[in-house]
Amino acid sequence: MARPGRPHDDLGQNGTVNIETVTDPTEAAEVAAVAAVTFPLACPPHSKPENITAHIAAHLSEAKFACYIADDTHEVLVARDDEGGVVGYALLVHANPADPDVIKAIRAAECGRDALESKNVTEVSKMYVLPDHHASRGQARPSHALMEASLDTARTRGAHYVWLGVNSENERAQKYYRKMGFAQIGTKTFNMNGVVEHDHVMGRLIRP
């Protein structure tokens, strides 16, 4: 089942956004369906369809989300609209990063070294919202609600530092993350079915 969160009714006059933490692996199919729609939209223009499809099969399948939901180091959050449908999701990883480039970037960031040494680091591994739910002015904003809930969740799990990777060509996403308090702290590579992509590493401190 999903553990309900409070409605984010302060996000607009036209509807609310409810954020829930998914705890039942049988709900993985609904999250995977959203992931299959949204991931291709965030890929750089040169990405080949076969590589996108392979990445989804390897990392965003129903089976994979069932594993994420069952894994104590991971948390899957979903945004639901007024009718209860999933319109977006976030995947959090409550563990130190394994990528040497990310470790280097966090270590050089403000208070990042301390967060690594105390293992109080959370990654926002994925965060996507269906394209027809990117809000206009005055409407509920699932992306904002998801990020606020993700930061609250990381804080509850004891994290002092939160980081994420975003494709270097995705300026819209970078602008959004800056608005949510993140700053670029480094770079890393991302392997999509054998093709090397380049990401910006962005991070921010969170306070208890």
Side-chain angles (χ1 to χ4, degrees), residues 16 18 80-86:
T16 60
N18 290 282
R80 295 188 183 273
D81 60 16
D82 288 335
E83 298 178 353
V86 174

Side-chain angles (χ1 to χ4, degrees), residues 98-159:
D99 187 319
D101 289 333
V102 178
I103 295 172
K104 178 181 177 181
I106 295 177
R107 185 177 288 129
E110 180 186 1
C111 298
R113 181 184 295 273
D114 290 342
L116 286 170
E117 290 179 353
S118 60
K119 297 184 179 180
N120 291 323
V121 176
T122 289
E123 175 191 5
V124 181
S125 175
K126 297 166 183 34
M127 180 172 289
Y128 295 101
V129 172
L130 291 172
D132 54 349
H133 285 81
H134 288 289
S136 300
R137 183 177 179 83
Q139 295 179 317
R141 295 167 290 182
S143 59
H144 284 58
L146 272 171
M147 181 58 81
E148 290 170 0
S150 294
L151 296 176
D152 286 345
T153 299
R155 190 178 291 111
T156 299
R157 290 289 293 256

Side-chain angles (χ1 to χ4, degrees), residues 30-51:
E30 193 173 11
V31 186
V34 173
V37 172
T38 54
F39 178 75
L41 302 177
C43 293
H46 60 260
S47 300
K48 294 182 178 180
E50 59 267 29
N51 291 333

